[in-house]
Amino acid sequence: MLYIAYCLDKPDHAAVRAANRPAHVEFLKQHAAQIVIAGPVLSEDGQQMVGSLFILEFDGRGDVDRFLKSDPYAKAGLFASVDVRPWRKTIERDPR
């Protein structure tokens, strides 16, 4: 099943994000089979990373929760909120 995870950083935690980014990226590479797409959520001006967005494929919600709790960002206490929802792809961009 597909899930979206929308994670927003705590205010003034840019240093925590920066310090843990290499471990976070490595963690994501190790779980590439479950990641449909992932990337940072940006500030309105597009200059700062203020969160993370994932579309994930797991058998169940418990697997998603375990994945997210194992992320180095989560372990470092970066996120103020994490919203997880089941998701269904309906329309995909034409690759032309």
Side-chain angles (χ1 to χ4, degrees):
M1 175 174 258
L2 295 173
Y3 294 87
I4 58 166
Y6 182 69
C7 312
L8 288 178
D9 296 358
K10 292 176 182 171
D12 302 316
H13 272 60
V16 173
R17 176 174 278 275
N20 289 279
R21 185 162 171 73
H24 167 75
V25 171
E26 187 58 35
F27 172 80
L28 297 183
K29 287 178 183 177
Q30 293 171 7
H31 293 87
Q34 287 80 36
I35 299 170
V36 176
I37 195 164
V41 175
L42 302 177
S43 58
E44 286 296 322
D45 64 6
Q47 300 303 307
Q48 302 295 320
M49 291 183 263
V50 297
S52 298
L53 176 71
F54 304 93
I55 298 178
L56 304 166
E57 187 168 13
F58 281 98
D59 289 336
R61 173 64 189 262
D63 296 325
V64 175
D65 291 340
R66 280 186 289 282
F67 168 82
L68 292 170
K69 288 178 184 177
S70 298
D71 184 333
Y73 281 168
K75 289 182 175 184
L78 175 62
F79 299 130
S81 65
V82 176
D83 189 20
V84 176
R85 306 285 174 139
W87 183 75
R88 179 183 305 129
K89 179 170 54 172
T90 303
I91 298 173
E92 188 169 344
R93 183 188 325 191
D94 187 342
R96 288 184 271 156

